[in-house]
Amino acid sequence: MQQPLSGIKVVDLTRILSGPFCTMLLGDMGADVIKIEGVREGDPVRKAGTLVNDFSWYFASFNRNKRSMALDLRTERDKDVLVRLLQRADVLVENFRPGVLAEMGFDETQLELINPRLVVASINGYGSTGPYADRPAFDFVIQAMSGFMSANGGPDHPALRCAPPITDLVAGLYAAYGIVNALRARDLTGRGQRVESSMMAGMLSMFAYLTSDYLATGQLAPRTGNDHPITSPYGMFSASDGEIAVAPSTEDILARFMSILGLADVLADARFCTNDLRLLHRKELNLLINERLRRDTQANWIRRLNAGGVPCGRVQNVGEALNDPQMRHQDMVLEVMHPAHGAVQMVGFPVKLSGTPCKVRHPAPDHGAHTEEILAELGLSAARASP
Amino acid sequence: MQQPLSGIKVVDLTRILSGPFCTMLLGDMGADVIKIEGVREGDPVRKAGTLVNDFSWYFASFNRNKRSMALDLRTERDKDVLVRLLQRADVLVENFRPGVLAEMGFDETQLELINPRLVVASINGYGSTGPYADRPAFDFVIQAMSGFMSANGGPDHPALRCAPPITDLVAGLYAAYGIVNALRARDLTGRGQRVESSMMAGMLSMFAYLTSDYLATGQLAPRTGNDHPITSPYGMFSASDGEIAVAPSTEDILARFMSILGLADVLADARFCTNDLRLLHRKELNLLINERLRRDTQANWIRRLNAGGVPCGRVQNVGEALNDPQMRHQDMVLEVMHPAHGAVQMVGFPVKLSGTPCKVRHPAPDHGAHTEEILAELGLSAARASP
C-alpha cells in the first residue's frame, strides 16, 4: 500500500530536535529519509537521554523511518556524494545556523543549479534574514524571546519556561506542513522553492487571544496561573480524593455543570448571575462548588461531568498520560524492534489517516548503517565509502 | 500566481479555535475555505476577546482567507445545500464532539456516497474511538490530562497550565499536515480518506526526551522550573540591568560562554570540570557567572554572547515579542484592511515559502456575508437563501 509521501526522497542534514522531528513526520508519511551524519560523530542525540542496550530511546523516537549515511562534508569527495544525492532528491532539510549551508558550498544558486525541482527547507531560530539571523538558537532562549515564558506562570512567580521543548517541535511541524505544500506547488509549477520555519515565529503564532488582544488594546493579559483571566468558574477544584480540572467554556455548559452539582439555583443568585459578577465573587463561588465536589470521588465526578457534557479531567503526570487507556487505545505508545538493541517504546502517530496510515517501516538506524547501500544506489562502488 | 492549495475547496464546519486554526492554515496556502455558521449565531469567537469597531480581532486573526455562509443544518433544505457543497469539495473539516456529524446525517458511509474523493478531517479532544471518545474537550483539561501541566512549573509549585491554548493549536496544525498529505495520497489513489487529529495525542507527541526517558526508565523527570534537570550552567542569569536566559547546550558552546566571560580557567576547576560536577555545584558556578555578567548591560551581553555563538536572550512579554525588530522584519505582524471594520492587526505567517508564499487574499468575513454568492455558485437562486 502506498503512503502519501511514497517515492519522495528527503536528504536530511538536520541534527538534535527541530529538524529530526520534521523529517520524522515526513518519514512517517512514507518518505525515504536519508539522514546524513558526520563520519566521526553522529547526531548528538545518539548520546542523549537514557541509553538502553547501548541505544538512546530519545534518538530512537525521533529517527524512525530514516536511513543513516556517514559523510565527511569537509572533503570534496563526500561533497560530491551529497551533490549526487541532491540531484535525485525531492527535499533537502537543514537546521544549521543561517549561512552555514552556503559556507559549505550549497548556497541558493548552487542548489538551484544542482536540482531546480528541489524543495529546500530551513528550520532555524529567528529566520534567515533580519537583525537576529546570525544568532544561535535553543528552545529555552526562544521560550524567553517569543513571549511564551512571560505568559506562563502565576501572578506571583517569575516568567517560567515549560519543560517540553515545544519551540523546537512547533517549528519542525510547521516546516513539515510547508514542505508538503511546496511539493504540491511543484506538481503545479514544476519547480522547487525555499521553505523556512523559525522557532520564534512559530511560537509567536501559538498565543491565540493573547496576541490578538494585545494588538487590539496595547494591554497585556495578566498572569493568572491556573485561573482563567476572564472566565469564572474555571480551574482546579477538589473532589474527596483529588483535584479536578473543570472548564465550563459557555453559559450552556456552566448551567449543566451547576445542575449536575445540584447548584442550579446558584446561577440566579445576585452574586453569580453573570460572568463579570462571578469573576468578582470567584472565591465564594469556588467554595460552594468545592463543598459539593468533596462529596464524591475524583473518578466519579469526572465520569459524571463528562457524561453531562462538562469538559473536565485530572492532572496526569507524563507516565500516567502515556499509560492512559485512551492513549493506549489510540496506539500512542508503539513498540519497535531493533535488531541490535531490542524492543524500543516510543510515542505513536498524533495524526491518523484511515486509508494510507502512518507506519514504522524501519527503526531508527545505527550511525552510518546505510552508507554503502546508498552509495550503491548512486552507482558508486561500495569500496568508495571507506576513507 | 498560484499557491500550493489553489483550487482546493474546503467546507469548514469548525468553530472556536482548533478547527478554525486548521482551516486558516489551509486558506493561507490558497485553499477556498467556506466557513459554515449557524443562521442565528455565528462562531462564538465573533464575540470573544476585544472588539474594535464592532469586530473581534481574535476572530479576525483566525478566520482570514475564508468566506462565511449561514446555514441552518437542522433543516432539510440547508442540509441539501451542504450536500451540494460537499459534492464539489475536496476537504471537509469539523471539530464537533465525535458522533455529532453522524447524528446530523453525515456519517462515514453517507459522506463516501456523497463524494468518494472527499478528505474528511476531524479534530477532537481524545480521538473518535476509545473510552474517552464521547468526552467534551477544552484546552485546560487537555493540558491537565496530557501530562503538560505536570511538566510545567517549579519543584515547589502545583501543576501549572500555560496561558496559550497550545493543545488546540497543535491539534489544528497536525490536522492541516494530515489533510495536505491526504490530498497528496488522493493524487496517487484517486480516493479521499479520514484524517483525525486529537488534542491529547498531539500534546503527548510534544514532550521529546520527557516521554522517551519515562518509557526507557519508568522514572519521571523532576520538575525544575527554569533550571535544566541535567545541564549546568543553564537558566536565568543577571546582567547589570536585567536578566539573561543562557543555554550553553554543548561542551563547545559552554567553553565559548566561559571564555567570553573571562572565566575559561573555571572549567579546569575540580568542582566544575564535568557536567555532573557542575550540577552538584550549580549555585557556586552561577554565582561566579553572575558576578561577571553584572559588569555590563543585558543588551551588551546578549549581543556579545550571540556573536560568540552562545544562545541567549531576554524574557520578552507578548507585546515586546510582537514588536521585536526581528519579528517585524519577518512580517510577523500583518495589517489587514476590513471594509466595514477598519485596519486589523494580526500575527503573520510562521512558515514561509519563497516561490508560492502565503498571503491574505481577503479578510475574515462578516457572519453569512457570502451565503448568496456561494448559493449562486451552486446554481441555486439567491432568493433561496432567505428563510
Side-chain angles (χ1 to χ4, degrees), chain A residues 23-344:
Chain A
T23 56
M24 181 193 82
L25 291 169
L26 302 175
D28 287 354
M29 290 290 182
D32 177 19
V33 179
I34 298 176
K35 182 180 180 79
I36 309 291
E37 300 183 81
V39 169
R40 269 166 299 271
E41 296 235 343
D43 186 334
V45 169
R46 289 187 177 279
K47 296 178 183 167
T50 304
L51 273 59
V52 181
N53 294 326
D54 202 29
F55 202 56
S56 160
W57 284 30
Y58 183 16
F59 180 82
S61 67
F62 282 90
N63 291 281
R64 63 193 181 207
N65 289 329
K66 301 179 189 176
R67 297 190 288 166
S68 169
M69 184 178 207
L71 291 179
D72 183 351
L73 293 177
R74 289 165 303 185
T75 69
E76 288 308 313
R77 200 184 64 170
D78 282 3
K79 273 189 191 173
D80 180 62
V81 174
L82 180 58
V83 168
R84 289 170 190 245
L85 282 171
L86 294 175
Q87 284 168 342
R88 299 157 30 109
D90 301 283
V91 181
L92 166 66
V93 189
E94 57 98 357
N95 65 347
F96 297 118
R97 248 206 277 182
V100 169
L101 190 63
E103 282 164 26
M104 290 164 59
F106 297 93
D107 62 16
E108 276 185 58
T109 313
Q110 193 60 33
L111 289 168
E112 170 91 21
L113 283 172
I114 292 170
N115 183 353
R117 287 177 54 81
L118 190 67
V119 171
V120 178
S122 297
I123 306 168
N124 48 48
Y126 303 94
S128 66
T129 61
Y132 307 164
D134 291 334
R135 290 189 179 185
F138 198 78
D139 169 69
F140 174 51
V141 175
I142 304 294
Q143 287 198 32
M145 293 287 287
S146 65
F148 180 83
M149 282 176 61
S150 82
N152 189 29
D156 309 323
H157 301 145
L160 186 68
R161 125 193 199 278
C162 73
I166 45 170
T167 70
D168 280 300
L169 295 162
V170 165
L173 179 47
Y174 270 123
Y177 178 63
I179 288 165
V180 182
N181 274 285
L183 288 171
R184 188 169 182 88
R186 190 180 72 168
D187 292 342
L188 306 171
T189 67
R191 300 192 64 79
Q193 59 180 310
R194 271 185 61 77
V195 172
E196 192 170 312
S197 166
S198 83
M199 294 157 72
M200 185 165 174
M203 202 63 229
L204 191 59
S205 78
M206 292 272 141
F207 292 159
Y209 64 91
L210 298 169
T211 37
S212 57
D213 270 12
Y214 176 83
L215 290 169
T217 65
Q219 303 293 313
L220 294 166
R223 288 151 55 83
T224 55
N226 286 340
D227 288 332
H228 196 287
I230 55 169
T231 302
S232 168
Y234 173 109
M236 300 302 303
F237 297 90
S238 301
S240 64
D241 58 346
E243 288 190 310
I244 309 175
V246 188
S249 51
T250 64
E251 292 291 319
D252 176 49
I253 294 174
L254 174 60
R256 278 182 264 159
F257 178 43
M258 299 303 276
S259 164
I260 294 168
L261 293 180
L263 293 174
D265 51 339
V266 163
L267 292 177
D269 187 308
R271 293 167 297 169
F272 307 126
C273 57
T274 71
N275 186 61
D276 283 348
L277 287 164
R278 291 191 296 270
L279 280 170
L280 210 60
H281 301 106
R282 196 196 296 255
K283 277 193 183 175
E284 297 153 76
L285 181 57
N286 288 1
L287 275 175
L288 285 172
I289 292 169
N290 280 327
E291 190 275 323
R292 292 296 167 122
L293 287 174
R294 270 196 298 272
R295 298 180 187 183
D296 205 344
T297 61
Q298 187 191 50
N300 282 342
W301 281 119
I302 287 174
R303 195 163 40 239
R304 202 175 311 159
L305 290 170
N306 273 305
V310 180
C312 69
R314 67 189 181 106
V315 171
Q316 301 196 109
N317 67 37
V318 171
E320 289 166 333
L322 286 165
N323 290 315
D324 184 287
Q326 179 69 20
M327 291 297 96
R328 292 294 172 147
H329 178 94
Q330 291 280 322
D331 293 324
M332 285 309 292
V333 178
L334 303 177
E335 188 166 282
V336 176
M337 187 54 68
H338 280 249
H341 309 288
V344 176

Side-chain angles (χ1 to χ4, degrees), chain A residues 364-387:
Chain A
D366 282 333
H367 179 199
H370 304 91
T371 307
E372 298 193 15
E373 173 183 307
I374 295 163
L375 285 171
E377 289 170 11
L378 293 172
L380 297 170
S381 88
R384 168 78 193 50
S386 42

Side-chain angles (χ1 to χ4, degrees), chain B residues 25-237:
Chain B
L25 292 168
L26 302 174
D28 287 354
M29 290 290 182
D32 176 20
V33 179
I34 298 176
K35 182 179 179 81
I36 308 292
E37 300 183 81
V39 169
R40 271 165 298 273
E41 297 235 343
D43 186 334
V45 169
R46 290 188 176 277
K47 297 179 182 167
T50 303
L51 272 59
V52 180
N53 294 326
D54 202 31
F55 201 57
S56 160
W57 284 31
Y58 182 17
F59 180 82
S61 67
F62 282 90
N63 290 281
R64 63 194 181 206
N65 290 329
K66 301 178 188 176
R67 298 190 288 167
S68 168
M69 184 177 207
L71 292 180
D72 183 350
L73 293 176
R74 289 165 304 185
T75 70
E76 288 307 314
R77 202 186 63 170
D78 282 2
K79 274 189 191 173
D80 179 61
V81 173
L82 180 58
V83 168
R84 289 170 191 245
L85 282 171
L86 294 175
Q87 283 168 342
R88 299 158 30 110
D90 301 283
V91 181
L92 167 65
V93 189
E94 57 98 356
N95 65 347
F96 298 118
R97 248 206 277 183
V100 170
L101 190 63
E103 283 165 26
M104 290 163 60
F106 298 91
D107 62 16
E108 275 184 60
T109 312
Q110 193 61 31
L111 288 168
E112 171 90 21
L113 283 172
I114 292 170
N115 182 353
R117 287 177 54 81
L118 189 68
V119 171
V120 179
S122 298
I123 307 168
N124 49 48
Y126 303 95
S128 66
T129 62
Y132 306 164
D134 292 333
R135 290 189 179 186
F138 198 76
D139 169 69
F140 174 52
V141 175
I142 304 295
Q143 287 198 33
M145 293 288 287
S146 65
F148 180 83
M149 282 177 60
S150 82
N152 189 29
D156 308 324
H157 302 144
L160 186 67
R161 124 193 200 278
C162 73
I166 45 170
T167 70
D168 280 300
L169 294 161
V170 164
L173 179 48
Y174 270 124
Y177 178 65
I179 288 165
V180 182
N181 274 285
L183 288 171
R184 189 171 180 88
R186 191 181 69 170
D187 293 342
L188 306 171
T189 67
R191 298 192 65 79
Q193 59 180 311
R194 271 187 60 78
V195 172
E196 192 170 312
S197 167
S198 83
M199 294 158 71
M200 185 163 173
M203 202 63 230
L204 192 60
S205 78
M206 292 272 142
F207 292 160
Y209 64 91
L210 296 169
T211 36
S212 56
D213 271 11
Y214 176 82
L215 290 169
T217 65
Q219 302 294 312
L220 294 167
R223 288 151 57 83
T224 55
N226 287 340
D227 288 332
H228 196 286
I230 56 169
T231 302
S232 167
Y234 172 109
M236 300 302 304
F237 297 90

